[in-house]
Amino acid sequence: MQNTAHLDESRDPLIIAEGWMKDGKDVAIATVVETWGSAPRPVGSHLVIDAEGNFHGSVSGGCVEGAVVSEAADVIEGGKPRMLEFGVADETAWQVGLSCGGRIKVYVERLG
């Protein structure tokens, strides 16, 4: 069976990021690069963030987006990418709400 899921242009985070960059905004992208156990979003899921803290997409269904947006602000400012890891064994993950029993790794990088 073929996967027919498709995001239209108004909801695709990559197209949103491209538009923000064309508007002159500094942008970072967060990508789920690894999951283990009960992860809220699959590998390849994206969250795009601009320097003002606006964001679109999802890397965790809302569980850790706030922490990722905060880290993305530092990535935009400094330009150095970061690998983030959230999971139930990590005290920080409980603080940001990842209590689904799994673990995710999210790579955050500046675009452009």
Side-chain angles (χ1 to χ4, degrees):
M1 182 172 170
Q2 187 176 18
N3 182 356
T4 58
H6 180 271
L7 289 176
D8 62 39
E9 290 187 15
S10 67
R11 298 185 312 160
D12 186 326
L14 301 177
I15 293 173
I16 298 290
E18 183 179 40
W20 286 349
M21 291 173 64
K22 284 181 181 175
D23 291 343
K25 295 182 179 185
D26 292 325
V27 179
I29 186 166
T31 305
V32 176
V33 295
E34 184 179 318
T35 64
W36 179 85
S38 178
R41 301 282 294 141
V43 169
S45 296
H46 297 291
L47 176 69
V48 294
I49 308 99
D50 72 9
E52 298 171 4
N54 298 305
F55 61 94
H56 186 84
S58 177
V59 291
S60 72
C63 300
V64 300
E65 265 74 5
V68 174
V69 168
S70 177
E71 293 285 339
D74 292 340
V75 169
I76 289 170
E77 186 176 317
K80 185 177 178 185
R82 295 185 183 173
M83 182 70 73
L84 310 175
E85 186 169 346
F86 301 96
V88 294
D90 179 0
E91 186 176 309
T92 312
W94 282 101
Q95 291 172 0
V96 297
L98 186 66
S99 58
C100 59
R103 185 180 73 223
I104 61 172
K105 283 189 179 180
V106 178
Y107 185 70
V108 183
E109 62 187 314
R110 183 180 169 134
L111 296 177

